[in-house]
Amino acid sequence: MLGLTACKSQPTRPLPAENYEVAAADPVKMQQIKTEAIEALLEQGQYYAALAHIEAQKQQTRDDPEVLYLEAETRRHLKQRDQAEALYRRLMGGPLEGKAWHGIGLLTAPKDLSAAIRALRNAANRLPTDVEIRNDLGYALMEAGRYGEALPELSTAAELAPGQLKSRNNLIVLMLLTGNQAGADQMAKQSGTSPETVKQLRSQAQVIRNQQLARSGRTPG
């Protein structure tokens, strides 16, 4: 799903040695540092390295929800669908249930858009101010042709994080899909969206339209 959450490639940022020295006498702090290191590997797309660190962590904190969630995310990116879903399911009923539903939504979207929307709604109900969840739910609804439902989700995401480009661009795509060319032009102008980006968003809208036609059994025109 083109508008759904993606990892960002960032340069490696090694933690200062003094952080480890301070944390050595504090197991909670040490756990936090190790978790942040795994998250950094995920952001860099180093999924196999992240998984190796996760496996090491599980030897010490086998049932820690945060470690289970990071493993689920890692296996999702590695396209280990069954293992990822099983891990997300283990988080149900716990403090990370909302994030687990988000992961299931992203995992399910390529094969079953309706099921993905249900999962993402569950996530949004539990974490209503999470920008990525609201954006991903809005995008899934937009892909499904449920434009009226997509608008408030994408608008909420855009207002929660005004500086985020993804939700704003998805709103432009939605306007293009609904034939609101004037609205799309106005939003692009107000946000300073470049002509090249607008061109890319127009192509993205056409891809979504073609996918909708394909699902309905019609031939894209």
Side-chain angles (χ1 to χ4, degrees), residues 152-203:
E153 301 299 337
L154 293 176
S155 297
T156 299
E159 291 182 8
L160 284 171
Q164 186 198 65
L165 300 180
K166 183 162 46 181
S167 300
R168 182 206 66 192
N169 288 346
N170 286 341
L171 276 171
I172 294 175
V173 173
L174 179 60
M175 291 178 182
L176 293 170
L177 285 168
T178 57
N180 186 1
Q181 183 64 56
D185 291 342
Q186 182 179 7
M187 178 168 287
K189 182 178 180 180
Q190 289 176 343
S191 58
T193 306
S194 68
E196 180 60 31
T197 298
V198 172
K199 182 180 179 180
Q200 293 172 358
L201 296 176
R202 197 179 304 280
S203 297

Side-chain angles (χ1 to χ4, degrees), residues 107-119:
L107 193 66
T108 308
K111 293 186 177 181
D112 189 338
L113 196 53
S114 295
I117 289 170
R118 290 194 295 271

Side-chain angles (χ1 to χ4, degrees), residues 123-137:
N125 288 339
R126 288 160 177 79
L127 298 171
T129 61
D130 189 296
V131 174
E132 297 295 349
I133 290 174
R134 299 302 286 259
N135 175 76
D136 291 347
L137 173 56

Side-chain angles (χ1 to χ4, degrees), residues 1-10 39 42-45 47 73 76-77 102 106 131-133 135-136 139 164 166-167 170:
M1 299 175 71
L2 299 175
L4 297 194
T5 306
C7 287
K8 300 176 183 178
S9 177
Q10 298 179 354
E39 290 172 343
L42 288 175
E43 288 178 349
Q44 297 159 22
Y47 304 125
E73 288 286 279
R76 176 172 65 83
H77 284 292
H102 186 204
L106 297 176
V131 174
E132 297 295 349
I133 290 174
N135 175 76
D136 291 347
Y139 194 90
Q164 186 198 65
K166 183 162 46 181
S167 300
N170 286 341

Side-chain angles (χ1 to χ4, degrees), residues 55-129:
E55 290 169 348
Q57 278 295 92
K58 287 172 65 177
Q59 294 178 14
Q60 303 174 16
T61 56
R62 183 171 299 276
D63 294 321
D64 181 83
E66 185 67 29
V67 175
L68 290 177
Y69 173 70
L70 290 173
E71 182 179 359
E73 288 286 279
T74 303
R75 294 192 184 280
R76 176 172 65 83
H77 284 292
L78 289 172
K79 301 188 185 304
Q80 298 174 3
R81 176 186 171 84
D82 292 342
Q83 291 168 283
E85 182 170 358
L87 289 163
Y88 287 130
R89 296 288 179 187
R90 286 178 61 184
L91 295 169
M92 295 303 169
L96 297 181
E97 183 173 3
K99 288 184 174 294
W101 277 119
H102 186 204
I104 288 175
L106 297 176
L107 193 66
T108 308
K111 293 186 177 181
D112 189 338
L113 196 53
S114 295
I117 289 170
R118 290 194 295 271
L120 291 169
R121 279 205 188 281
N122 285 336
N125 288 339
R126 288 160 177 79
L127 298 171
T129 61

